[in-house]
Amino acid sequence: TGRTDIDARSPVPKYYQLREILLDLIERELAVDAPVPSERELAARYGLSRMTARQAVEHLVSEGRLYRVQGKGTFVSRPKIDIPLRLTSFTEDMRARGMTPGSRDLGRRLIPATAAVARELALEGGAPVYAIERLRTADGVPMALERSHIPAALAPDLMERTLEGVSLYEVLADVYGVVLDRGDQVIEAGIADSGDAGLLGLAPGSAVLLLQRRCWAGTTPAEYAVSTYRADRYQLRASLAMQ
Ligand code: GLP
């Protein structure tokens, strides 16, 4: 069983002890969206000052474990979706978690590669690429925006195909024989601008994870994508080994 009381003699700061007690409560007893006791109630129950109780709650809010609703109180957040960092598609990631992946086509264009895209895909500047913009959903809820660039030469009539509700990686593999087998990815913190926030159902200025991925099919560069994931719904997991 978990901790249930503050140890006044412990060198562990009291707010930190309360944070752990609350985490335990969240994991064992409280449902998603359930209210947590007010700071006043916590202070009284654990013999702490209001300040200490607030500090513990504030930590859990900034970690995304709790959320506040103005004038209503503090509630338990939905656990984040944990994504292992591998060369998987959005469709595979969601299916592996028992969710139904979805995809809304926000626009597709055949454009000459800009200098930056040409560099990422090792193309001549101006070579034709598809710029594909999609809103990805899981169980109907917006999760990510994905902006992919694919060399047009790899997938001749991709513009004529629907990408609504289908896996791009499956289409590349099944229709064009382009099987991605290697990639690299840069992950950065970002802030959603008002356009992206609106599409993702977030308040403007919310935190997002920016994933920049390049991948290859054998030695052929096949995709350069920038994905914007909701930071309140996603966490990324890498397994580490000594090298
Ligand atoms: C991931 C990558 C994207 C890629 C997508 C393909 O989410 N970040 O770069 O385009 O998977 O997913 P799907 O095959 O479901 O369209």
Side-chain angles (χ1 to χ4, degrees):
T1 65
R3 292 277 317 281
T4 53
D5 251 317
I6 302 288
D7 178 356
R9 284 169 314 179
S10 165
V12 177
K14 294 203 178 66
Y15 85 86
Y16 199 85
Q17 293 188 49
L18 179 57
R19 174 186 168 281
E20 296 213 328
I21 291 171
L22 288 172
L23 269 178
D24 212 69
L25 208 68
I26 293 169
E27 264 150 39
R28 287 161 195 277
E29 288 175 30
L30 297 177
V32 170
D33 296 327
V36 293
S38 69
E39 283 158 18
R40 185 152 39 81
E41 288 164 335
L42 290 171
R45 159 76 181 79
Y46 293 101
L48 300 167
S49 70
R50 284 280 292 272
M51 268 259 287
T52 304
R54 175 166 319 137
Q55 207 182 350
V57 170
E58 247 151 35
H59 266 253
L60 291 168
V61 169
S62 65
E63 290 166 53
R65 306 300 297 260
L66 298 176
Y67 67 93
R68 287 189 207 279
V69 180
Q70 191 71 40
K72 292 241 164 71
T74 307
F75 304 88
V76 176
S77 303
R78 186 169 296 279
K80 291 181 186 176
I81 300 170
D82 187 283
I83 299 290
L85 288 171
R86 286 199 288 267
L87 184 50
T88 48
S89 69
F90 182 87
T91 300
E92 291 173 289
D93 287 341
M94 293 309 114
R95 283 195 186 135
R97 273 146 206 83
M99 289 184 281
T100 305
S103 179
R104 215 174 90 202
D105 194 341
L106 297 178
R108 269 182 295 162
R109 284 167 301 147
L110 179 59
I111 56 168
T114 61
V117 169
R119 190 174 59 240
E120 300 296 347
L121 289 170
L123 297 170
E124 300 280 315
V129 294
Y130 299 115
I132 299 169
E133 222 177 307
R134 297 181 298 161
L135 176 69
R136 310 309 304 268
T137 59
D139 293 340
V141 179
M143 289 288 165
L145 289 163
E146 300 206 288
R147 299 179 169 106
S148 300
H149 292 87
I150 314 258
L154 289 186
D157 59 355
L158 189 63
M159 289 298 270
E160 276 84 75
R161 291 180 177 275
T162 177
L163 290 179
E164 198 76 33
V166 300
S167 161
L168 177 61
Y169 284 4
E170 270 172 33
V171 170
L172 286 176
D174 298 350
V175 180
Y176 302 102
V178 174
V179 179
L180 305 173
D181 55 9
R182 185 165 68 85
D184 60 35
Q185 186 156 275
V186 177
I187 301 161
E188 290 169 279
I191 296 291
D193 63 25
S194 58
D196 285 4
L199 288 164
L200 291 170
L202 297 172
S206 297
V208 289
L209 297 168
L210 298 174
L211 275 60
Q212 237 183 105
R213 178 185 285 190
R214 283 188 307 174
C215 42
W216 287 263
T219 54
T220 310
E223 184 194 33
Y224 168 63
V226 180
S227 305
T228 305
Y229 279 75
R230 294 175 56 156
D232 63 334
R233 299 296 297 117
Y234 272 87
Q235 64 187 25
L236 303 169
R237 179 178 299 273
S239 58
L240 308 177
M242 281 286 193
Q243 298 219 310

